Amino acid sequence: NSDTINIKATGGKIGRETIDIPGFPVLSLNSEYLLFLQERGDSYDIYGANQGCMKRVNISSSEIVLSPCEKEYFNSIYVKQSSSGIITLDNFVNKIREYQKN
C-alpha cells in the first residue's frame, strides 16, 4: 500500500569504501530504471542481477528508451536494436510478450 519498496543489491558504497561485484548493477541516484524484481521477505532483489536491469537513457523524449545496465548481457531479447543495446520500451515489452507466448 506504499509507493516505496526496499531493493537490496549486492555491493555499494559507505563513506570512502566501495564494493563493486562483477555482474551486479551499480544504480545511480536521479536515474530511472526498469527492474525485474524478486520478492525476498520485506524487500526485493534485482532478478538475474544485471540481466534484470534496464536504464532509461532519455529523460526529455516522449518515447521511453532503455539500455541494458551491463552491455555484456546482450541476448536474444535484445534483437532488433542497435549495437549499443538501446531499445524502446514498447519494443522491449513486445519482445517480452513474444517470449511469454512460447
Side-chain angles (χ1 to χ4, degrees):
N1 296 336
S2 173
D3 290 340
T4 302
I5 61 170
N6 293 316
I7 299 172
K8 290 185 179 178
T10 303
K13 182 176 182 178
I14 298 176
R16 296 184 317 188
E17 301 294 324
T18 300
I19 298 177
D20 289 328
I21 308 295
F24 287 85
V26 177
L27 305 178
S28 303
L29 289 174
N30 302 317
S31 294
E32 295 182 34
Y33 298 91
L34 171 67
L35 300 174
F36 291 84
L37 301 175
Q38 182 173 19
E39 191 170 4
R40 299 273 189 196
D42 62 348
S43 65
Y44 293 83
D45 293 335
I46 300 173
Y47 188 80
N50 273 333
Q51 296 178 56
C53 180
M54 299 287 285
K55 184 176 182 177
R56 183 173 179 171
V57 293
N58 69 321
I59 302 298
S60 60
S61 173
S62 60
E63 184 174 50
I64 297 173
V65 178
L66 304 170
S67 179
C69 288
E70 184 67 39
K71 301 290 187 252
E72 70 183 71
Y73 286 98
F74 293 145
N75 58 37
S76 57
I77 202 164
Y78 301 125
V79 297
K80 299 182 186 173
Q81 70 183 24
S82 70
S83 60
S84 67
I86 292 173
I87 187 169
T88 65
L89 178 60
D90 291 339
N91 287 341
F92 185 78
V93 169
N94 288 335
K95 209 59 176 149
I96 297 291
R97 288 183 177 143
E98 286 176 29
Y99 282 110
Q100 288 177 329
K101 290 178 187 176
N102 297 327

